[in-house]
Amino acid sequence: MWLINSSIGRKVVMSVTGIALILFLTFHCCMNIVALFSEEGYNMICEFLGANWYAVVATLGLAALAVIHIVFAFILTAQNRTARGDNRYEVATTVNAGKVEWASKNMLVLGIIVLLGLLLHLFNFWYNMMFAEIFGIVGTHSPADGFAYIKDTFSNPVFSILYLIWLAALWFHLSHGFWSALQTLGWNGKTWFCRWKIIGIIYVSLLILGFVIVVLAFWLGCAPSLCDGSCCA
């Protein structure tokens, strides 16, 4: 099958799975923003998702996308190193912004940091929520009390700093991956190539900013949902 056996096919798989993961992150960010303003509203979403069959199926599908993306990333990295030495992820264009160019040369390192951050995130949240609900594990809070887990996690400075590092790596990874995926899928004309780079950087910046605001708001204790009828000091 050409999607698996050819270099172009593998890049297409990487692009499609990458775009799907960005869409999930967008949903996840919107969900987290709710936690800034309403504990009840956020927990309603957590309970709605919970360990329901559709949430479990969606989680398995998301996990499959992530595994495929990661496996193909390592395959392409090994392939590029063999063919080009240190010039992996080379982009056939002379128009490269400094940060994006750096990201394109360090996608594997950024990907590893993103993967480690993902494992930390799964440990702090998924394990204590969906996994705990499915297997009847008694945790610190109810599996549906996602707000309490957000509050506990980000009130810990170590976790907050690790998450901020993770989000910084994710920004670099996505800022390159966004327009690179569209270029692989054929939207690489001279005019639209530049446009997609700008659109991608803006979109990814707003996306990551949303996550960062949640981390900082709960770390500093100034999320509106933490204020019991009074302003946060």
Side-chain angles (χ1 to χ4, degrees):
M1 187 176 180
W2 75 274
L3 283 175
I4 298 176
N5 297 326
S6 70
S7 176
I8 295 177
R10 296 187 191 107
K11 289 180 180 179
V12 169
V13 172
M14 278 279 293
S15 299
V16 172
T17 55
I19 291 173
L21 292 172
I22 289 176
L23 292 176
F24 167 74
L25 285 173
T26 302
F27 164 77
H28 198 348
C29 182
C30 293
M31 177 178 169
N32 285 5
I33 293 297
V34 174
L36 286 175
F37 302 99
S38 174
E39 176 180 353
E40 181 181 353
Y42 183 76
N43 283 341
M44 284 179 61
I45 297 174
C46 292
E47 187 174 2
F48 173 74
L49 296 175
N52 298 300
W53 69 268
Y54 48 82
V56 173
V57 170
T59 300
L60 291 174
L62 182 65
L65 288 173
V67 169
I68 292 171
H69 190 79
I70 292 168
V71 169
F72 275 66
F74 278 100
I75 291 175
L76 284 171
T77 299
Q79 176 183 307
N80 286 340
R81 279 183 170 173
T82 300
R84 302 173 184 170
D86 294 330
N87 295 324
R88 56 190 181 277
Y89 290 98
E90 184 177 0
V91 179
T93 179
T94 58
V95 183
N96 281 305
K99 292 181 179 179
V100 173
E101 183 180 4
W102 181 87
S104 68
K105 294 178 180 179
N106 295 274
M107 287 295 278
L108 179 61
V109 175
L110 291 170
I112 291 174
I113 296 175
V114 170
L115 177 59
L116 292 175
L118 175 61
L119 294 176
L120 175 65
H121 187 65
L122 291 175
F123 172 75
N124 283 331
F125 294 97
W126 181 78
Y127 173 78
N128 289 308
M129 297 173 71
M130 180 180 285
F131 186 86
E133 184 175 349
I134 292 175
F135 292 98
I137 298 174
V138 179
T140 308
H141 308 287
S142 165
D145 194 358
F147 187 88
Y149 283 110
I150 287 182
K151 185 177 177 181
D152 287 353
T153 299
F154 297 135
S155 62
N156 185 323
V158 174
F159 280 140
S160 293
I161 292 173
L162 289 176
Y163 268 86
L164 292 175
I165 294 173
W166 177 38
L167 291 170
L170 192 59
W171 183 90
F172 280 107
H173 190 78
L174 296 181
S175 65
H176 170 76
F178 186 98
W179 60 261
S180 180
L182 295 176
Q183 183 186 44
T184 298
L185 295 176
W187 292 351
N188 56 352
K190 183 177 180 180
T191 300
W192 273 102
F193 176 78
C194 296
R195 290 176 180 175
W196 279 123
K197 287 182 69 174
I198 295 173
I199 292 172
I201 290 175
I202 294 174
Y203 186 91
V204 169
S205 296
L206 292 175
L207 177 63
I208 298 303
L209 180 62
F211 285 112
V212 169
I213 288 174
V214 172
V215 174
L216 292 178
F218 278 88
W219 182 9
L220 301 176
C222 59
S225 55
L226 294 174
C227 301
D228 300 324
S230 61
C231 294
C232 295

